């Protein structure tokens, strides 16, 4: 019975809104209900501003839900705005973060690539895409997009960190050192940059000298003192030689080197 009633309502609604029925009403004299209401410019403007306010409140709600780890609730709120306004920057960035959190990386990357076609210099979209590639081990693309951010915004700290960490992973210590130094010029007390510089100092004399200069400049900074002490302890250890037999298995060799760099105490050499 419920199904029949619903179907009847739908058919009746279609009939009452059908153009032929409206023409019939118009000629019968019921012109007010037959013609569509044309909103005035003031009403149109008011209605558009109401929609914008509604979108902003939806996005605020979505941001709060995401911050409180309610990923599903945030997804629904971001999608509600994105459906109505497919070019809304906040909605796109929010959806991308949600997709990354849910592990839906292809969705996340497709969304951001489409958004970058419309706005190729958006720092938010470039940063999210670079971090997405980084999280999946696609270092080449991650580096490519971090470099694009630097082109658009040379002093962008997040992009400098991304490139420095990639350089450190690839054992490009001089490149990493320059980037960490650039970050520390902008933010002298940045702990993550100091830690990264400390990693460089384990193998790079120039980085060690820079850390010692920083200690002289900031004698009360405990982290810098700890890094210097730690590096001195490392340098006092005997060198370990690690020999890796290889035979046309470059991927296994790369994995092996990555594991050694992550898990083996320094100093060591790889043969």
């Amino acid at each position: 019975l419920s199904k029949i009633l619903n179907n009847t309502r739908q058919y009746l609604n279609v009939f009452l809104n059908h153009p032929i029925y409206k023409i019939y009403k118009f000629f019968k004299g019921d012109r007010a209900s037959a013609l569509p209401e044309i909103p005035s410019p003031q009403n149109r403007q008011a209605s558009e501003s109401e929609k914008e306010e509604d979108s902003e409140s939806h996005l605020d709600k979505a941001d709060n839900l995401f911050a409180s780890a309610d990923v599903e609730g945030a997804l629904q709120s971001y999608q509600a705005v994105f459906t109505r306004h497919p070019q809304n920057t906040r909605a796109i960035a929010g959806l991308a973060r949600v997709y990354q959190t849910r592990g839906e990386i292809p969705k996340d990357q497709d969304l951001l690539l489409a958004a970058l076609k419309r706005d190729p210099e958006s720092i938010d979209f470039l940063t999210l895409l670079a971090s997405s590639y980084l999280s999946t081990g696609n270092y080449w693309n991650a580096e490519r997009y971090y470099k694009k951010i630097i082109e658009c915004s040379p002093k962008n700290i997040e992009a400098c960190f991304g490139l420095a960490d990639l350089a450190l992973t690839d054992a490009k210590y001089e490149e990493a050192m320059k980037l960490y130094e650039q970050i520390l010029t902008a933010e002298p007390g940045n702990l993550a940059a100091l830690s990264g510089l400390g990693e460089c100092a384990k193998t790079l004399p120039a980085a060690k000298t820079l850390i010692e200069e920083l200690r002289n400049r900031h004698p009360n900074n405990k982290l810098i003192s700890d890094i210097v002490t730690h590096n001195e302890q490392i340098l006092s250890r005997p060198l370990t030689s690690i020999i890796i037999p290889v035979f046309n298995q470059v991927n296994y060799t790369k994995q092996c080197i990555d594991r050694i760099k992550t898990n083996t105490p320094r100093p060591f050499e790889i043969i």
Side-chain angles (χ1 to χ4, degrees), residues 106-164:
K107 266 189 183 182
D108 159 45
Q109 291 173 358
D110 288 347
L111 178 70
L112 290 167
L113 286 166
L116 281 166
K117 281 181 184 174
R118 292 191 300 270
D119 187 2
E121 293 189 355
S122 167
I123 301 297
D124 286 343
F125 297 157
L126 287 167
T127 305
L128 284 164
L129 191 57
S131 65
S132 176
Y133 281 125
L134 188 64
S135 69
T136 55
N138 189 336
Y139 298 144
W140 186 84
N141 266 329
E143 184 177 11
R144 181 173 147 231
Y145 282 101
Y146 279 131
K147 281 180 177 174
K148 276 191 180 181
I149 296 167
I150 295 293
E151 282 172 23
C152 300
S153 173
K155 293 182 180 179
N156 187 286
I157 297 294
E158 198 165 344
C160 287
F161 262 122
L163 287 171

Side-chain angles (χ1 to χ4, degrees), residues 251-264:
N251 287 329
Y252 288 128
T253 306
K254 282 180 179 175
Q255 286 177 38
C256 186
I257 291 169
D258 284 341
R259 298 296 184 278
I260 289 169
K261 287 198 293 193
T262 306
N263 301 309
T264 308

